[in-house]
């Protein structure tokens, strides 16, 4: 394990039990397993959640130890010729956990530590299990479709502003990479999945990706890892959150990709009647979608614009 991973937050966890034989979720490079973390009865649990330090103490005079629902992310072996599969898997793990462990914000998914267990094929990354799922599933559920959407957008902007202030780009900000959890009685968005993220200006820290929907020039791999690219994606996530419709939903997948990469189109306002043309939302999203990346607004300024709005 590299020095990047040997930090206080990178501890191996005890008391975590994998609760399913097979993964319950699958990503491009990893599988997700459910688990339960039983907290030590003597020491309790010290956790940084966002900027708040929480101590979860064992219940007094109780034989039942505190238990937290968690998920364990396990990278699949990548068959890449120049390296052994094990080294590739270890490389992905080190990059994601090294970056993720340094991020602490109320709108960024917390990272608990690492797990080595015979029930999983490789070292896993442990984080809280968000019972409300990702943002796409959350607003697709009739039971939660009524939830106010502007605070969710603001929360995503808060988390992304924090990341950009730390010179970190996400590289894959989509509705499916924003989770929802009830925190202090409020539905709270949590930016997750840092496997494609990058710390700017650190050579060798970029994880290659196989497909990019935003093509700013011919060098697609590097150009995805910029703050303006994150801002573009934020605008798309904002549109889908507020309207309930995916960007370019009225086009086929092929034509949608062509519209962005070749024709330099942005979503057609006429296809989103729930958001009128003069709506302030469109003005903010328009600042995200300028084709020239340097002309896009910084996320911190967009957050200030959002804070002047109310639903």
């Amino acid at each position: 394990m590299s020095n990047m991973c040997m930090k206080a937050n990178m501890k191996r966890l005890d008391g975590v039990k994998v609760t399913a034989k097979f993964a319950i979720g699958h990503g491009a490079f990893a599988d997700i397993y459910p688990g339960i973390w039983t907290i030590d009865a003597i020491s309790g649990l010290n956790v940084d959640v966002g900027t708040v330090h929480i101590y979860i103490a064992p219940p007094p005079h109780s034989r039942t130890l505190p238990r937290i629902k968690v998920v364990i992310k396990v990278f699949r072996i990548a068959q890449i010729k120049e390296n052994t599969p094990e080294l590739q898997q270890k490389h992905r793990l080190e990059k994601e956990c090294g970056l993720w462990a340094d991020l602490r914000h109320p709108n960024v998914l917390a990272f608990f530590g690492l797990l080595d267990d015979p029930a999983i094929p490789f070292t896993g990354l442990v984080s809280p299990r968000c019972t409300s799922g990702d943002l796409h599933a959350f607003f697709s559920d009739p039971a939660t479709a009524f939830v106010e959407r502007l605070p969710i957008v603001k929360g995503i902007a808060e988390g992304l502003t924090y990341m950009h202030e730390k010179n970190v780009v996400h590289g894959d900000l989509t509705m499916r990479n924003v989770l929802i959890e009830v925190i202090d009685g409020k539905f709270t968005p949590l930016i997750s999945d840092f496997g494609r993220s990058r710390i700017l200006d650190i050579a060798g820290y970029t994880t290659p990706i196989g497909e990019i929907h935003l093509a700013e020039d011919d060098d697609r791999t590097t150009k995805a890892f910029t703050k303006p690219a994150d801002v573009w994606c934020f605008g798309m996530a904002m549109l889908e959150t507020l309207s309930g419709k995916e960007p370019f939903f009225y086009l086929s997948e092929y034509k949608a990709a062509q519209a962005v990469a070749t024709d330099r189109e942005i979503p057609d306002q006429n296809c989103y009647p729930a958001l009128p043309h003069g709506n302030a939302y469109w003005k903010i999203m328009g600042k995200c979608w300028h084709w020239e990346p340097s002309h896009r607004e910084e996320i911190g300024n967009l957050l200030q614009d959002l804070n002047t709005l109310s639903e």
Side-chain angles (χ1 to χ4, degrees), residues 4-5 17 22 113 118 127 129 151 160 165-166 168 219 221 224 230 240 243 247 259 305 309:
M4 190 176 296
C5 278
K17 179 181 179 181
F22 301 104
S127 61
R129 183 171 184 177
L160 190 59
E165 287 174 348
K166 290 182 70 68
V168 173
D219 188 3
T221 298
D230 272 357
E240 185 171 354
S243 71
D305 292 342
L309 304 180

Side-chain angles (χ1 to χ4, degrees), residues 56-78:
I56 303 175
H61 311 299
S62 173
R63 296 182 180 179
T64 303
L65 301 179
R67 290 152 57 93
I68 297 176
K69 290 183 179 181
V70 298
V71 290
I72 304 103
K73 180 176 183 177
V74 181
F75 288 103
R76 292 191 296 274
I77 292 177

